[in-house]
Amino acid sequence: KAGVTQTPRYLIKTRGQQVTLSCSPISGHRSVSWYQQTPGQGLQFLFEYFSETQRNKGNFPGRFSGRQFSNSRSEMNVSTLELGDSALYLCASSSSTGQGPSYNEQFFGPGTRLTVL
Amino acid sequence: AQRVTQPEKLLSVFKGAPVELKCNYSYSGSPELFWYVQYSRQRLQLLLRHISRESIKGFTADLNKGETSFHLKKPFAQEEDSAMYYCALIETSGSRLTFGEGTQLTVNP
């Protein structure tokens, strides 16, 4: 199976702009999670989508949003970009069924490196 | 709220020496713990999980609920083990991973 893919791989934006990142999960996976990775804060959970519904959300401001399509592909959007949004954004997919706790392995994509100037 | 702590940001050992990467957690429920690894220029990948009780690439990790720890151990480190290691916890109500800060392991020849 092809792994998780993320586009674009690199992005440079300026403060105040908005950005959309895309993630294609492993075929058959319906759960997609997003994480932000920075040197200072490490890996932090943004949100998880399952069957087009947001199932879980981390402690990020409303400027961070996401969605999932019927083919399980997911996008995340960051509006009104700030310098502190510069990070590596990782997407992960799993075969979670959405019922109860999920210990299914999460497979990570290569990430999108966002730089905000 | 759940929390994962990895007290060592950097760890350096010589090839053939034992290695232990420390991980402590706080969680009110019954946690499920994982170790993820990121080799240079590669994506983050699962190394092992508590529930499987398996040994991967010679690494093992035992959950100690009394000490709330999940340390990663290998008796004889190899140069190819050099990587960033993350301990992570998953809450029982969903699939949200909480990661520790990570430990950069360097195995010297």
Side-chain angles (χ1 to χ4, degrees):
Chain A
K1 284 183 180 178
V4 177
T5 58
Q6 294 186 245
T7 56
R9 293 293 310 279
Y10 302 91
L11 209 46
I12 298 175
K13 293 284 187 180
T14 55
R15 280 181 297 174
Q17 287 187 308
Q18 74 156 15
V19 68
T20 299
L21 312 181
S22 182
C23 170
S24 292
I26 290 172
S27 178
H29 286 187
R30 294 161 64 191
S31 169
V32 174
S33 299
W34 288 89
Y35 295 85
Q36 182 196 64
Q37 186 175 25
T38 60
Q41 300 295 320
L43 280 152
Q44 292 189 292
F45 174 81
L46 280 154
F47 28 65
E48 184 215 358
Y49 285 87
F50 181 84
S51 290
E52 303 178 63
T53 301
Q54 189 180 85
R55 186 162 73 150
N56 216 333
K57 189 177 190 306
N59 297 323
F60 279 81
R63 300 185 296 108
F64 291 82
S65 62
R67 60 178 175 168
Q68 187 179 33
F69 302 94
S70 58
N71 62 358
S72 294
R73 190 177 69 84
S74 177
E75 289 181 347
M76 68 163 280
N77 184 276
V78 188
S79 62
T80 321
L81 283 166
E82 300 177 359
L83 294 178
D85 297 333
S86 294
L88 182 68
Y89 289 88
L90 295 174
C91 166
S93 75
S94 82
S95 56
S96 165
T97 60
Q99 298 294 323
S102 171
Y103 306 140
N104 296 324
E105 179 178 353
Q106 292 193 23
F107 293 84
F108 284 82
T112 293
R113 172 78 60 188
L114 171 64
T115 302
V116 182
L117 302 176
Chain B
Q2 63 269 25
R3 184 176 174 85
V4 178
T5 304
Q6 293 178 249
E8 304 137 328
K9 284 191 187 299
L10 303 170
L11 187 60
S12 183
V13 300
F14 286 102
K15 177 182 172 182
V19 63
E20 181 180 50
L21 290 84
K22 291 183 167 44
C23 171
N24 289 90
Y25 67 91
S26 63
Y27 182 59
S28 56
S30 183
E32 182 56 32
L33 287 137
F34 304 80
W35 277 98
Y36 277 81
V37 61
Q38 191 166 30
Y39 300 101
S40 179
R41 296 197 187 95
Q42 293 187 28
R43 54 184 75 186
L44 195 61
Q45 58 186 284
L46 179 66
L47 179 62
L48 56 79
R49 70 183 84 184
H50 153 242
I51 201 169
S52 299
R53 300 185 183 279
E54 56 195 348
S55 172
I56 302 292
K57 298 184 179 182
F59 285 97
T60 58
D62 291 317
L63 179 62
N64 186 323
K65 292 186 178 180
E67 296 183 358
T68 59
S69 68
F70 188 57
H71 303 327
L72 183 69
K73 300 176 184 179
K74 184 169 184 177
F76 308 103
Q78 302 300 314
E79 290 179 67
E80 56 265 30
D81 296 328
S82 295
M84 179 70 93
Y85 291 81
Y86 293 95
C87 182
L89 174 156
I90 202 162
E91 58 189 40
T92 52
S93 60
S95 54
R96 168 185 181 157
L97 280 167
T98 298
F99 286 91
E101 306 91 334
T103 298
Q104 178 67 52
L105 173 66
T106 301
V107 181
N108 300 297

Short mmCIF file of all heavy atoms in Angstrom, two decimals, chain A residues 4 35 37 43 45 48 55-58 101-103 105-106 108-110, chain B residues 32 34 36 38 43-44 46 49 51 86 90-92 94-97 99:
data_model
loop_
_atom_site.label_atom_id
_atom_site.label_comp_id
_atom_site.label_asym_id
_atom_site.label_seq_id
_atom_site.Cartn_x
_atom_site.Cartn_y
_atom_site.Cartn_z
N VAL A 4 1.05 7.40 3.66
CA VAL A 4 0.35 8.67 3.79
C VAL A 4 1.11 9.73 3.00
O VAL A 4 2.34 9.82 3.11
CB VAL A 4 0.26 9.08 5.27
CG1 VAL A 4 -0.40 10.45 5.41
CG2 VAL A 4 -0.49 8.03 6.08
N TYR A 35 -1.04 16.79 13.49
CA TYR A 35 -0.17 17.19 14.59
C TYR A 35 0.71 18.34 14.13
O TYR A 35 1.10 18.42 12.96
CB TYR A 35 0.72 16.03 15.03
CG TYR A 35 -0.02 14.85 15.62
CD1 TYR A 35 -0.54 13.87 14.79
CD2 TYR A 35 -0.20 14.73 16.99
CE1 TYR A 35 -1.23 12.78 15.32
CE2 TYR A 35 -0.89 13.65 17.53
CZ TYR A 35 -1.40 12.69 16.69
OH TYR A 35 -2.09 11.62 17.22
N GLN A 37 4.42 20.04 14.83
CA GLN A 37 5.72 19.76 15.44
C GLN A 37 6.59 21.00 15.39
O GLN A 37 6.89 21.52 14.30
CB GLN A 37 6.41 18.59 14.74
CG GLN A 37 7.70 18.15 15.42
CD GLN A 37 8.31 16.91 14.79
OE1 GLN A 37 8.10 16.62 13.62
NE2 GLN A 37 9.05 16.15 15.59
N LEU A 43 5.61 17.68 19.61
CA LEU A 43 4.48 17.22 18.81
C LEU A 43 3.18 17.45 19.56
O LEU A 43 2.98 16.92 20.65
CB LEU A 43 4.62 15.72 18.53
CG LEU A 43 5.56 15.31 17.41
CD1 LEU A 43 6.13 13.93 17.65
CD2 LEU A 43 4.82 15.35 16.08
N PHE A 45 -1.13 17.56 19.28
CA PHE A 45 -2.31 17.11 18.56
C PHE A 45 -3.19 18.30 18.19
O PHE A 45 -3.48 19.16 19.02
CB PHE A 45 -3.07 16.13 19.45
CG PHE A 45 -4.40 15.69 18.91
CD1 PHE A 45 -4.48 14.69 17.96
CD2 PHE A 45 -5.57 16.26 19.37
CE1 PHE A 45 -5.70 14.26 17.48
CE2 PHE A 45 -6.80 15.85 18.91
CZ PHE A 45 -6.87 14.84 17.94
N GLU A 48 -8.62 15.26 14.98
CA GLU A 48 -8.79 13.98 14.31
C GLU A 48 -10.15 13.96 13.62
O GLU A 48 -11.15 14.44 14.17
CB GLU A 48 -8.73 12.81 15.29
CG GLU A 48 -8.81 11.45 14.60
CD GLU A 48 -9.56 10.41 15.40
OE1 GLU A 48 -10.01 10.70 16.53
OE2 GLU A 48 -9.72 9.29 14.88
N ARG A 55 -13.66 14.14 15.37
CA ARG A 55 -13.91 13.28 16.53
C ARG A 55 -13.19 13.79 17.77
O ARG A 55 -13.60 13.49 18.88
CB ARG A 55 -13.49 11.86 16.20
CG ARG A 55 -13.82 10.84 17.29
CD ARG A 55 -13.79 9.44 16.75
NE ARG A 55 -12.46 8.95 16.49
CZ ARG A 55 -12.11 7.65 16.58
NH1 ARG A 55 -13.01 6.77 16.96
NH2 ARG A 55 -10.91 7.25 16.27
N ASN A 56 -12.13 14.52 17.57
CA ASN A 56 -11.31 14.95 18.70
C ASN A 56 -10.61 16.24 18.32
O ASN A 56 -10.25 16.43 17.13
CB ASN A 56 -10.28 13.87 19.02
CG ASN A 56 -10.01 13.73 20.50
OD1 ASN A 56 -10.16 14.66 21.27
ND2 ASN A 56 -9.61 12.53 20.90
N LYS A 57 -10.39 17.11 19.29
CA LYS A 57 -9.76 18.39 18.98
C LYS A 57 -8.77 18.75 20.07
O LYS A 57 -9.04 18.56 21.26
CB LYS A 57 -10.83 19.48 18.88
CG LYS A 57 -10.33 20.81 18.36
CD LYS A 57 -11.48 21.80 18.23
CE LYS A 57 -11.06 23.07 17.49
NZ LYS A 57 -9.88 23.73 18.07
N GLY A 58 -7.62 19.27 19.68
CA GLY A 58 -6.61 19.70 20.62
C GLY A 58 -6.82 21.14 21.03
O GLY A 58 -7.81 21.77 20.68
N PRO A 101 -12.12 3.04 22.28
CA PRO A 101 -10.70 3.42 22.23
C PRO A 101 -10.00 2.80 21.03
O PRO A 101 -10.35 1.71 20.59
CB PRO A 101 -10.13 2.88 23.54
CG PRO A 101 -11.07 1.81 23.96
CD PRO A 101 -12.42 2.21 23.45
N SER A 102 -9.04 3.51 20.51
CA SER A 102 -8.35 3.02 19.32
C SER A 102 -6.87 2.87 19.60
O SER A 102 -6.18 3.83 19.86
CB SER A 102 -8.55 4.00 18.16
OG SER A 102 -7.72 3.64 17.08
N TYR A 103 -6.40 1.65 19.57
CA TYR A 103 -4.98 1.41 19.72
C TYR A 103 -4.34 1.07 18.39
O TYR A 103 -3.23 0.58 18.35
CB TYR A 103 -4.76 0.28 20.73
CG TYR A 103 -5.45 0.51 22.05
CD1 TYR A 103 -6.08 -0.53 22.71
CD2 TYR A 103 -5.47 1.76 22.62
CE1 TYR A 103 -6.72 -0.33 23.92
CE2 TYR A 103 -6.12 1.98 23.83
CZ TYR A 103 -6.73 0.93 24.48
OH TYR A 103 -7.37 1.14 25.67
N GLU A 105 -2.34 1.36 15.07
CA GLU A 105 -1.14 2.13 14.74
C GLU A 105 -1.50 3.31 13.86
O GLU A 105 -2.29 3.20 12.92
CB GLU A 105 -0.13 1.24 14.02
CG GLU A 105 1.14 1.95 13.61
CD GLU A 105 2.13 1.02 12.95
OE1 GLU A 105 1.89 -0.20 12.92
OE2 GLU A 105 3.16 1.52 12.46
N GLN A 106 -0.91 4.45 14.17
CA GLN A 106 -1.05 5.62 13.33
C GLN A 106 0.16 5.70 12.42
O GLN A 106 1.30 5.65 12.87
CB GLN A 106 -1.18 6.88 14.18
CG GLN A 106 -2.48 6.92 14.97
CD GLN A 106 -2.77 8.27 15.58
OE1 GLN A 106 -2.29 9.30 15.13
NE2 GLN A 106 -3.57 8.28 16.63
N PHE A 108 2.32 7.87 9.84
CA PHE A 108 2.56 9.29 9.62
C PHE A 108 3.04 9.59 8.20
O PHE A 108 3.76 8.79 7.58
CB PHE A 108 3.60 9.81 10.62
CG PHE A 108 3.04 10.02 11.99
CD1 PHE A 108 2.93 8.96 12.87
CD2 PHE A 108 2.62 11.27 12.40
CE1 PHE A 108 2.39 9.14 14.14
CE2 PHE A 108 2.08 11.47 13.67
CZ PHE A 108 1.96 10.40 14.54
N GLY A 109 2.64 10.75 7.73
CA GLY A 109 3.15 11.25 6.47
C GLY A 109 4.47 11.96 6.67
O GLY A 109 4.95 12.10 7.81
N PRO A 110 5.07 12.47 5.59
CA PRO A 110 6.37 13.14 5.68
C PRO A 110 6.28 14.55 6.25
O PRO A 110 7.28 15.12 6.66
CB PRO A 110 6.85 13.17 4.23
CG PRO A 110 5.59 13.19 3.44
CD PRO A 110 4.60 12.35 4.21
N GLU B 32 -2.58 3.50 27.35
CA GLU B 32 -1.92 2.65 26.39
C GLU B 32 -0.73 3.45 25.89
O GLU B 32 -0.87 4.59 25.47
CB GLU B 32 -2.83 2.30 25.22
CG GLU B 32 -2.19 1.38 24.20
CD GLU B 32 -1.66 0.09 24.80
OE1 GLU B 32 -2.25 -0.41 25.79
OE2 GLU B 32 -0.66 -0.43 24.28
N PHE B 34 3.11 3.94 23.80
CA PHE B 34 3.82 3.62 22.57
C PHE B 34 5.21 4.27 22.60
O PHE B 34 5.43 5.26 23.29
CB PHE B 34 3.09 4.19 21.34
CG PHE B 34 1.66 3.75 21.18
CD1 PHE B 34 0.66 4.36 21.90
CD2 PHE B 34 1.34 2.74 20.30
CE1 PHE B 34 -0.66 3.97 21.75
CE2 PHE B 34 0.02 2.35 20.13
CZ PHE B 34 -0.99 2.97 20.86
N TYR B 36 7.58 5.79 19.53
CA TYR B 36 7.74 6.10 18.12
C TYR B 36 9.21 6.50 17.89
O TYR B 36 9.86 7.04 18.78
CB TYR B 36 6.83 7.26 17.69
CG TYR B 36 5.42 6.83 17.37
CD1 TYR B 36 4.49 6.62 18.38
CD2 TYR B 36 5.03 6.63 16.05
CE1 TYR B 36 3.19 6.22 18.09
CE2 TYR B 36 3.73 6.24 15.75
CZ TYR B 36 2.83 6.03 16.78
OH TYR B 36 1.54 5.64 16.47
N GLN B 38 12.03 8.30 14.94
CA GLN B 38 12.22 9.05 13.70
C GLN B 38 13.70 9.03 13.35
O GLN B 38 14.51 9.70 14.01
CB GLN B 38 11.72 10.48 13.85
CG GLN B 38 11.65 11.25 12.54
CD GLN B 38 10.84 12.53 12.69
OE1 GLN B 38 10.79 13.13 13.75
NE2 GLN B 38 10.21 12.95 11.60
N ARG B 43 10.22 9.44 8.04
CA ARG B 43 9.02 9.85 8.75
C ARG B 43 8.89 9.14 10.09
O ARG B 43 9.52 8.10 10.33
CB ARG B 43 7.78 9.62 7.89
CG ARG B 43 7.60 8.23 7.34
CD ARG B 43 6.40 8.13 6.42
NE ARG B 43 6.64 8.74 5.11
CZ ARG B 43 5.69 8.88 4.18
NH1 ARG B 43 4.46 8.48 4.42
NH2 ARG B 43 5.97 9.43 3.01
N LEU B 44 8.10 9.72 10.95
CA LEU B 44 7.85 9.14 12.26
C LEU B 44 7.18 7.78 12.11
O LEU B 44 6.26 7.62 11.32
CB LEU B 44 6.93 10.11 13.02
CG LEU B 44 6.76 9.96 14.52
CD1 LEU B 44 8.08 10.15 15.25
CD2 LEU B 44 5.76 11.02 15.01
N LEU B 46 6.06 3.88 14.21
CA LEU B 46 5.87 3.17 15.45
C LEU B 46 7.02 2.18 15.67
O LEU B 46 7.38 1.42 14.77
CB LEU B 46 4.54 2.42 15.42
CG LEU B 46 4.20 1.59 16.65
CD1 LEU B 46 3.98 2.49 17.86
CD2 LEU B 46 2.96 0.74 16.39
N ARG B 49 4.58 -0.99 20.99
CA ARG B 49 3.45 -0.57 21.82
C ARG B 49 3.33 -1.48 23.03
O ARG B 49 3.68 -2.66 22.96
CB ARG B 49 2.16 -0.59 21.01
CG ARG B 49 1.66 -1.98 20.65
CD ARG B 49 0.44 -1.93 19.78
NE ARG B 49 0.79 -1.76 18.39
CZ ARG B 49 -0.10 -1.61 17.42
NH1 ARG B 49 -1.38 -1.53 17.71
NH2 ARG B 49 0.28 -1.49 16.18
N ILE B 51 0.77 -2.76 24.49
CA ILE B 51 -0.23 -3.82 24.45
C ILE B 51 0.30 -5.06 23.73
O ILE B 51 -0.16 -6.18 23.97
CB ILE B 51 -1.53 -3.30 23.79
CG1 ILE B 51 -2.72 -4.17 24.17
CG2 ILE B 51 -1.38 -3.18 22.29
CD1 ILE B 51 -4.05 -3.57 23.79
N TYR B 86 10.34 9.06 20.60
CA TYR B 86 9.23 9.72 21.28
C TYR B 86 8.39 8.68 22.01
O TYR B 86 7.98 7.67 21.43
CB TYR B 86 8.32 10.44 20.28
CG TYR B 86 8.94 11.63 19.60
CD1 TYR B 86 9.53 11.50 18.35
CD2 TYR B 86 8.92 12.89 20.18
CE1 TYR B 86 10.09 12.58 17.70
CE2 TYR B 86 9.48 13.99 19.54
CZ TYR B 86 10.06 13.82 18.30
OH TYR B 86 10.61 14.90 17.67
N ILE B 90 -1.92 7.16 24.56
CA ILE B 90 -3.21 7.34 23.91
C ILE B 90 -4.30 7.21 24.95
O ILE B 90 -4.28 6.31 25.78
CB ILE B 90 -3.40 6.36 22.74
CG1 ILE B 90 -4.45 6.87 21.75
CG2 ILE B 90 -3.77 4.96 23.20
CD1 ILE B 90 -4.36 6.21 20.41
N GLU B 91 -5.24 8.16 24.93
CA GLU B 91 -6.31 8.11 25.90
C GLU B 91 -7.33 7.05 25.49
O GLU B 91 -7.47 6.74 24.32
CB GLU B 91 -6.98 9.49 26.02
CG GLU B 91 -7.55 10.00 24.71
CD GLU B 91 -8.00 11.44 24.82
OE1 GLU B 91 -7.30 12.23 25.47
OE2 GLU B 91 -9.04 11.76 24.24
N THR B 92 -8.00 6.51 26.48
CA THR B 92 -8.90 5.39 26.21
C THR B 92 -10.17 5.83 25.52
O THR B 92 -10.94 5.02 25.05
CB THR B 92 -9.27 4.67 27.52
OG1 THR B 92 -9.74 5.62 28.47
CG2 THR B 92 -8.06 3.96 28.09
N GLY B 94 -10.36 7.75 22.80
CA GLY B 94 -10.22 8.09 21.39
C GLY B 94 -8.89 7.68 20.83
O GLY B 94 -8.29 6.72 21.28
N SER B 95 -8.44 8.40 19.83
CA SER B 95 -7.18 8.05 19.19
C SER B 95 -6.20 9.22 19.21
O SER B 95 -5.35 9.33 18.34
CB SER B 95 -7.44 7.59 17.76
OG SER B 95 -8.17 8.56 17.07
N ARG B 96 -6.31 10.08 20.19
CA ARG B 96 -5.43 11.22 20.31
C ARG B 96 -4.14 10.82 21.00
O ARG B 96 -4.15 10.38 22.15
CB ARG B 96 -6.14 12.30 21.11
CG ARG B 96 -5.28 13.44 21.58
CD ARG B 96 -6.10 14.35 22.45
NE ARG B 96 -5.33 15.48 22.92
CZ ARG B 96 -5.86 16.62 23.32
NH1 ARG B 96 -7.15 16.77 23.29
NH2 ARG B 96 -5.09 17.60 23.74
N LEU B 97 -3.01 11.00 20.32
CA LEU B 97 -1.70 10.69 20.89
C LEU B 97 -1.14 11.92 21.60
O LEU B 97 -1.12 13.01 21.03
CB LEU B 97 -0.73 10.26 19.80
CG LEU B 97 -0.81 8.81 19.29
CD1 LEU B 97 0.01 8.66 18.02
CD2 LEU B 97 -0.32 7.84 20.34
N PHE B 99 2.38 13.15 23.01
CA PHE B 99 3.79 12.81 22.89
C PHE B 99 4.63 13.45 23.98
O PHE B 99 4.32 14.54 24.47
CB PHE B 99 4.34 13.28 21.54
CG PHE B 99 3.91 12.47 20.36
CD1 PHE B 99 2.76 12.80 19.66
CD2 PHE B 99 4.65 11.37 19.94
CE1 PHE B 99 2.35 12.05 18.57
CE2 PHE B 99 4.25 10.61 18.85
CZ PHE B 99 3.09 10.96 18.16
#
